[in-house]
C-alpha cells in the first residue's frame, strides 16, 4: 500500500493509544487534563497515545474508560472479547415498551384525556414508588407507557390557555420520570430526545418549578457527555431566572434552585475547580437550611439529608481521596429516605474508599448499595468499574468478593 493511501481500519485496526487519543479528543480533554484525572502526567498520556508505552493494565484502562465515559470497553481496547457495558446497562425488560411510547407520534384526539387532578395523582404516586421500591426501574417502566400516552392526550385536549399550560407542566414531569428510566439504557440518543421534550414542555408551561427541573436534568446530560460549558450555560441561566422569584417562592421552587446550585458545583468539580465547586456546595447548603425540617424534593431529592451525599461526590470528582473518605464517613446514608438515592450515595462512598486505596471498604459499601436498590447499582458505571478492577486484584479473597458481587449485579450474564 502506498504510504499516502488512507489506512484500511480493518487491515490496520487502531491500537489502544490511538483509540484513547480519539476518545480524548472527542471529549475535548487535553493530555494534561486526562493525565490529571487518572493520576498521571500529560507526558505519560502522550507516551501511551504514540505507542512509546505499552497498553496499561486493566485497572488503569478502567480509570481511563471512566473519565472518557466509554460506554463499552471494546471502544477503548479494540478487543471485541471485552464487550463490557460500563455507562450503559444491558437494557431493562421494560425499556422497549417505554421507548415505543416515547417514539409514538399521536396526532388525533381519539384517545380520551384523564382529568388533570387524576393525572397529577398518578404522577405523584409514580415518584413515590420510584423512591420506595428496590426494583424502581421495573415499577416505573410499568407505569410510564400509560402516563406518556395520557399526558400527551391532556395537552391535545386542553381547551384554554391556562389548561394547556397546566397540561404541559404535567407532560414535562412525565418526561422527567422517563429520563430517569432511560438513563444508562442502550440508547443514548433517546435520553437526549426525552430531555429536549421535557425542556420544551416546561418552557411552554411557564411554570418555574418545571423549568428548573428541566434545566436540572439537561445539565446532568450535558455534564455526562463532557459538555461542561453547555452544562454551565443551562445551570447559570436558569438560576438567574429563578433567583428573583425565590423570596416569594414555595419550597419546591427553592429546592430546585438548590439542586441546580449543586449541579453547578459538580460541573466545577469535574473540571477540577476546587474553590468554585465547594463555594457552590456552600450556597446549596444555605438553601437547604432554609427548607422545613424533613423536607425532601420528590424529583431531585434535594434536602438537608442529601447535602452530605453531594459533598462526597464533589470530593470524589475532585479526585481528593482523603477528603472523599472524610465526607463519606460524615454523610449518613440511612438519613436519605429514597432507596435509589441512598444506593447512589453508597456508590459515591465506594468511589471515595476506592480512590483512597481502601478496596475492601469499597466492595463492602457497594454490597450495601445493592441491598438498598439493586437496579441502581446494576446500571451504574462507577460501580461496575470498581467491581471489574477488584476482580483482577492480587488478593484471592478480594477477587472472590468482587466476583460474587459481579454475579449479584448480573455482570456475568450481561
Amino acid at each position: 500500500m502506498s504510504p499516502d493511501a488512507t489506512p484500511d481500519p480493518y487491515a490496520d485496526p487502531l491500537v489502544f493509544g490511538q483509540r484513547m487519543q480519539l476518545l480524548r479528543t472527542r471529549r475535548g480533554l487535553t493530555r494534561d487534563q486526562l493525565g490529571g484525572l487518572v493520576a498521571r502526567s500529560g507526558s505519560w498520556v502522550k507516551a501511551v497515545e504514540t505507542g512509546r508505552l505499552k497498553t496499561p493494565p486493566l485497572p488503569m484502562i478502567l480509570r481511563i474508560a471512566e473519565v472518557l465515559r466509554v460506554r463499552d470497553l471494546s471502544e477503548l481496547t479494540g478487543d471485541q472479547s471485552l464487550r463490557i457495558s460500563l455507562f450503559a446497562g444491558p437494557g431493562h425488560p421494560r425499556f422497549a415498551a417505554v421507548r415505543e411510547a416515547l417514539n409514538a407520534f399521536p396526532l388525533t384526539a381519539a384517545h380520551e384525556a384523564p382529568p388533570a387532578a387524576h393525572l397529577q395523582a398518578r404522577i405523584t404516586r409514580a415518584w413515590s414508588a420510584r423512591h420506595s421500591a428496590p426494583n424502581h426501574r421495573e415499577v416505573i417502566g410499568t407505569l410510564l407507557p400509560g402516563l406518556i400516552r395520557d399526558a400527551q392526550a391532556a395537552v391535545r385536549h386542553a381547551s384554554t390557555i391556562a389548561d394547556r399550560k397546566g397540561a404541559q407542566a404535567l407532560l414535562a414531569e412525565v418526561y422527567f420520570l422517563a429520563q430517569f428510566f432511560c438513563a444508562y439504557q442502550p440508547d443514548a440518543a433517546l435520553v437526549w430526545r426525552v430531555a429536549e421534550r421535557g425542556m420544551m414542555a416546561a418552557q411552554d408551561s411557564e411554570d418555574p418549578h418545571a423549568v428548573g427541573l428541566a434545566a436540572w436534568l439537561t445539565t446532568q446530560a450535558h455534564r455526562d457527555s463532557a459538555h461542561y460549558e453547555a452544562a454551565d450555560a443551562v445551570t447559570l441561566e436558569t438560576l438567574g431566572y429563578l433567583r428573583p422569584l425565590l423570596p416569594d417562592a414555595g419550597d419546591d421552587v427553592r429546592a430546585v434552585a438548590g439542586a441546580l446550585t449543586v449541579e453547578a458545583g459538580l460541573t466545577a468539580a469535574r473540571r477540577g475547580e476546587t474553590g468554585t465547586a465547594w463555594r457552590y456546595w456552600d450556597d446549596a447548603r444555605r438553601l437547604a437550611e432554609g427548607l422545613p425540617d424533613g423536607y425532601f424534593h420528590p424529583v431531585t431529592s434535594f434536602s438537608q439529608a442529601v447535602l452530605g451525599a453531594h459533598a462526597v461526590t464533589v470530593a470524589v470528582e475532585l479526585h481528593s481521596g482523603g477528603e472523599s473518605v472524610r465526607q463519606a464517613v460524615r454523610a449518613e446514608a440511612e438519613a436519605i429516605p429514597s432507596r435509589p438515592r441512598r444506593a447512589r450515595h453508597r456508590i459515591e462512598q465506594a468511589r471515595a474508599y476506592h480512590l483512597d486505596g481502601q478496596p475492601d471498604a469499597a466492595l463492602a459499601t457497594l454490597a450495601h448499595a445493592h441491598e438498598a436498590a439493586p437496579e441502581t447499582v446494576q446500571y451504574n458505571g462507577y460501580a461496575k468499574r470498581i467491581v471489574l478492577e477488584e476482580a483482577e486484584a492480587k488478593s484471592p479473597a478480594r477477587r472472590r468478593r468482587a466476583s460474587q458481587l459481579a454475579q449479584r449485579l448480573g455482570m456475568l450474564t450481561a
Side-chain angles (χ1 to χ4, degrees):
M1 183 177 71
S2 164
D4 297 324
T6 301
D8 182 346
Y10 297 98
D12 302 295
L14 296 177
V15 297
F16 178 87
Q18 294 170 314
R19 289 173 177 274
M20 187 172 83
Q21 181 175 3
L22 289 171
L23 291 165
R24 174 182 61 77
T25 304
R26 189 175 74 184
R27 289 296 182 209
L29 295 173
T30 66
R31 283 170 171 159
D32 285 337
Q33 287 172 329
L34 176 58
L37 291 170
V38 297
R40 293 292 187 273
S41 65
S43 58
W44 179 87
V45 173
K46 181 178 180 180
V48 173
E49 290 182 347
T50 56
R52 288 194 294 109
L53 286 179
K54 64 181 181 180
T55 300
L58 181 61
M60 178 55 71
I61 291 175
L62 290 167
R63 288 191 184 97
I64 295 168
E66 176 184 325
V67 171
L68 298 179
R69 300 295 290 182
V70 172
R71 290 185 171 271
D72 193 304
L73 207 55
S74 63
E75 273 188 80
L76 181 58
T77 64
D79 184 351
Q80 295 304 305
S81 67
L82 284 177
R83 296 194 63 82
I84 301 169
S85 295
L86 289 174
F87 288 90
H92 194 276
R94 300 285 180 184
F95 180 60
V98 173
R99 179 167 52 188
E100 182 179 354
L102 289 168
N103 286 337
F105 192 53
L107 294 174
T108 67
H111 180 71
E112 185 175 351
H118 179 262
L119 185 56
Q120 179 64 78
R122 287 166 59 195
I123 294 171
T124 300
R125 285 198 300 271
W127 285 116
S128 177
R130 180 183 180 272
H131 289 300
S132 61
N135 58 333
H136 53 94
R137 285 183 183 269
E138 174 66 23
V139 173
I140 297 306
T142 302
L143 298 174
L144 269 172
L147 282 172
I148 293 166
R149 181 188 65 239
D150 289 348
Q152 290 173 339
V155 173
R156 291 196 306 272
H157 283 268
S159 57
T160 68
I161 293 177
D163 286 346
R164 184 175 179 82
K165 287 182 178 180
Q168 289 282 16
L170 293 175
L171 177 60
E173 197 165 346
V174 171
Y175 284 140
F176 303 153
L177 193 64
Q179 192 170 342
F180 272 100
F181 178 84
C182 292
Y184 307 119
Q185 297 299 300
D187 190 342
L190 182 63
V191 176
W192 279 106
R193 289 204 303 277
V194 175
E196 289 169 356
R197 290 183 191 178
M199 179 66 82
M200 291 173 62
Q203 289 176 335
D204 287 345
S205 77
E206 299 182 6
D207 181 333
H209 182 247
V211 171
L213 286 177
W216 180 73
L217 284 162
T218 302
T219 292
Q220 293 179 33
H222 279 307
R223 189 174 59 248
D224 284 347
S225 299
H227 300 152
Y228 303 138
E229 290 184 4
D232 274 339
V234 172
T235 307
L236 300 180
E237 178 75 18
T238 309
L239 282 172
Y241 159 71
L242 290 176
R243 282 193 187 105
L245 307 177
L246 295 184
D248 300 317
D251 293 336
D252 286 351
V253 173
R254 288 189 287 131
V256 169
L260 279 167
T261 304
V262 169
E263 293 305 315
L266 294 177
T267 303
R270 186 72 65 86
R271 284 194 301 236
E273 299 171 357
T274 303
T276 302
W278 286 115
R279 175 172 59 80
Y280 278 123
W281 183 86
D282 277 332
D283 292 343
R285 177 180 53 79
R286 283 189 285 271
L287 285 166
E289 289 172 349
L291 296 170
D293 290 341
Y295 175 88
F296 186 84
H297 191 272
V299 181
T300 67
S301 298
F302 188 78
S303 58
Q304 293 186 43
V306 88
L307 256 293
H310 289 311
V312 177
T313 304
V314 169
V316 169
E317 292 291 356
L318 288 168
H319 292 263
S320 176
E323 181 62 23
S324 299
V325 171
R326 282 191 290 274
Q327 295 293 347
V329 171
R330 187 179 305 163
E332 179 50 60
E334 296 309 318
I336 301 173
S338 165
R339 276 181 174 267
R341 189 61 186 87
R342 191 159 66 245
R344 175 61 192 270
H345 174 45
R346 291 291 195 193
I347 293 169
E348 296 299 288
Q349 288 179 313
R351 291 178 70 195
Y353 289 124
H354 204 250
L355 182 64
D356 196 50
Q358 301 184 45
D360 290 314
L363 290 175
T365 306
L366 285 180
H368 287 307
H370 185 265
E371 291 170 7
E375 290 184 336
T376 296
V377 188
Q378 181 183 0
Y379 291 92
N380 187 279
Y382 300 116
K384 291 181 182 180
R385 195 265 285 178
I386 292 171
V387 171
L388 286 169
E389 184 169 332
E390 295 312 318
E392 297 282 323
K394 293 181 180 179
S395 164
R398 193 181 307 144
R399 287 200 307 270
R400 183 168 58 253
R401 290 179 66 190
S403 299
Q404 290 170 346
L405 188 53
Q407 187 170 12
R408 291 168 65 189
L409 298 182
M411 293 171 62
L412 302 181
T413 58

